[in-house]
Amino acid sequence: MFLADNSDITKQIKDLGPWFHNIHLPDGSQTAPDHFLGDFPGFIWDKMKSEIPKNLSGKTVLDIGCNAGYYSLKLAERGAQVTAIDFDTNYLKQAQWVINQHELTGDITLKHQQVYDLVRDEKQYDIVLFLGVFYHLRYPLLALDIISKRTKGILVFQTLSMPGGEAVDTNDDYKIHDRKQMLESGWPKMAFIEKKFNQDPTNWWFANKSCIEAMLRTCGFKTISKPGDELFIFEPDANNPGVNELWNESEYLSATNQDWHNTYLKKIR
C-alpha cells in the first residue's frame, strides 16, 4: 500500500482543516490530536463498540451527520456497507480523504444530505448512527419519526443533554390543570436555546434523559442499553408502534410533503 510521506500527509490534514473528528490514520498521523475534548470521538466509540457486533459482513449502516467519517470508518472496518450523510460539504471532503487513506472506497458511500432528506429513501438499515446531531435540529421530532422508518435493527443515539432527568412514572392522562408535576426534575423536558450555545447558533435543544427516552418511545423505539452517559441503544418496539404509524400519521405525511388526504380517507372509509 502506497502512502504519501508524513510531511505531505500533515500538509493535507492542515489544508482540509479545521477538523472536529480526531481520526488516526494508517501512517500514525492524527487529524486533530489537540482536540479540546481529547481523543474525540474515540472515547465515545470505546463506550459503544462492544454493543455492536464485531462481524458486520452483509450488514448495512446509515451514519447520519457523519462529519469526517470516524464512526463510518469503524463500522466499515468490521465489514459493513455504510451510507454516510452530512449537509456540510467540508466534512464530506474530509470524510472522502479519510476513506481514501484507509482504502475503504468500496465500503462507504458519502451523500450530501440532511436527515430530513431520508424521507425520500425507501431503504432500511441494520444499524443507524445518530450521534451528536439531535440538538442541532430545528425540527427534532420530525427527524426521529423519519429515522424510525429507516431503522430495522438498532439505533445508536448520542446527544448533549440537560443535567438530571432520571425518569419518573407518568400517568396515561392528566387533567388540564394538573401541571405542577412538570416541574419535577424527572419530567420529560427540553431546554430551548434561542441564541447561541458554545458560540454555535445551530444548538437548539437540550433534552433531559427522561425526555430522550420518552420521545423515542413515541417514535416506536424501546431502550435496550445505555452504554455511556448521553449514549443510548434503541431498537424498534414491535409492541409499541410510533404515533406516526397510528393516530398521528396524517400530520407526519403532511409535514413530509406526502399525500395524507388519500391515506386518511382510505382508513376512515
Side-chain angles (χ1 to χ4, degrees), residues 184-210:
E184 296 179 22
S185 63
W187 184 272
K189 63 186 71 172
M190 290 205 296
F192 177 68
I193 310 301
E194 181 183 0
K195 297 179 182 177
K196 292 182 182 179
F197 190 90
N198 197 40
Q199 299 300 308
D200 188 342
T202 74
N203 287 324
W204 290 107
W205 303 100
F206 287 81
N208 65 13
K209 295 177 179 65
S210 176

Side-chain angles (χ1 to χ4, degrees), residues 74-86:
K74 292 298 185 183
L75 271 61
E77 289 175 340
R78 293 189 176 192
Q81 288 294 312
V82 181
T83 299
I85 72 171
D86 207 294

Side-chain angles (χ1 to χ4, degrees), residues 229-245:
D229 186 42
E230 304 182 324
L231 183 60
F232 304 79
I233 310 292
F234 298 100
E235 68 179 5
D237 187 350
N239 298 317
N240 180 36
V243 299
N244 64 347
E245 302 281 351

Side-chain angles (χ1 to χ4, degrees), residues 119-153:
V119 74
R120 295 186 289 274
D121 183 359
E122 295 299 320
K123 186 175 181 179
Q124 289 191 309
Y125 297 84
D126 297 300
I127 300 172
V128 175
L129 305 179
F130 193 52
L131 305 167
V133 178
F134 179 79
Y135 51 94
H136 291 298
L137 300 179
R138 180 77 173 178
Y139 312 106
L141 269 175
L142 177 59
L144 293 181
D145 279 339
I146 293 170
I147 289 170
S148 72
K149 295 180 180 296
R150 305 281 75 82
T151 308
K152 67 177 178 180

